[in-house]
Amino acid sequence: MDINVPIATADTFANFARRTRIELGLTQEELTKKAGRSRKWVTCVERQEIMPTLPAVISVVKALGYALVLEPFLEEDSDIIATILGDQ
């Protein structure tokens, strides 16, 4: 996984969380324990069935070994970000 991962939508977060969990060799159950969330919640996020709250996003990001960093979003970068994260 790239060191800097641009996440601009709930969909890109879901893709990031699932892909990173798999790359780290974590099961959904293991991620739930590390993030303090239910397995159903993790499944729903990965399937893009729910919109996670900011505290929930932070708990998953930390459980996956990342930190949440906010930067200005430039609209002209949206196609590049979507390509990087597989949203297209």
Side-chain angles (χ1 to χ4, degrees), residues 9-20:
T9 67
D11 294 348
T12 55
F13 174 72
N15 292 337
F16 159 78
R18 183 173 190 279
R19 186 169 58 222
T20 304

Side-chain angles (χ1 to χ4, degrees), residues 1 5 29 56 59 68:
M1 180 59 71
V5 182
E29 188 66 32
S59 69
L68 184 63

Side-chain angles (χ1 to χ4, degrees), residues 2-76:
D2 295 326
I3 292 174
N4 294 311
V5 182
I7 296 176
T9 67
D11 294 348
T12 55
F13 174 72
N15 292 337
F16 159 78
R18 183 173 190 279
R19 186 169 58 222
T20 304
R21 176 183 61 75
I22 292 168
E23 286 178 1
L24 292 173
L26 295 173
T27 65
Q28 286 182 334
E29 188 66 32
E30 291 167 329
L31 179 57
T32 65
K33 289 177 184 172
K34 291 180 81 163
R37 301 286 157 186
S38 72
R39 185 164 187 267
K40 181 177 178 170
W41 183 91
V42 170
T43 300
C44 288
V45 168
E46 288 186 358
R47 291 181 181 171
Q48 302 170 21
E49 296 173 349
I50 62 170
M51 173 77 71
T53 64
L54 184 56
V57 168
I58 292 169
S59 69
V60 171
V61 168
K62 288 173 67 176
L64 294 171
Y66 281 76
L68 184 63
V69 177
L70 302 177
E71 294 183 357
F73 176 75
L74 304 175
E75 194 61 39
E76 59 268 18

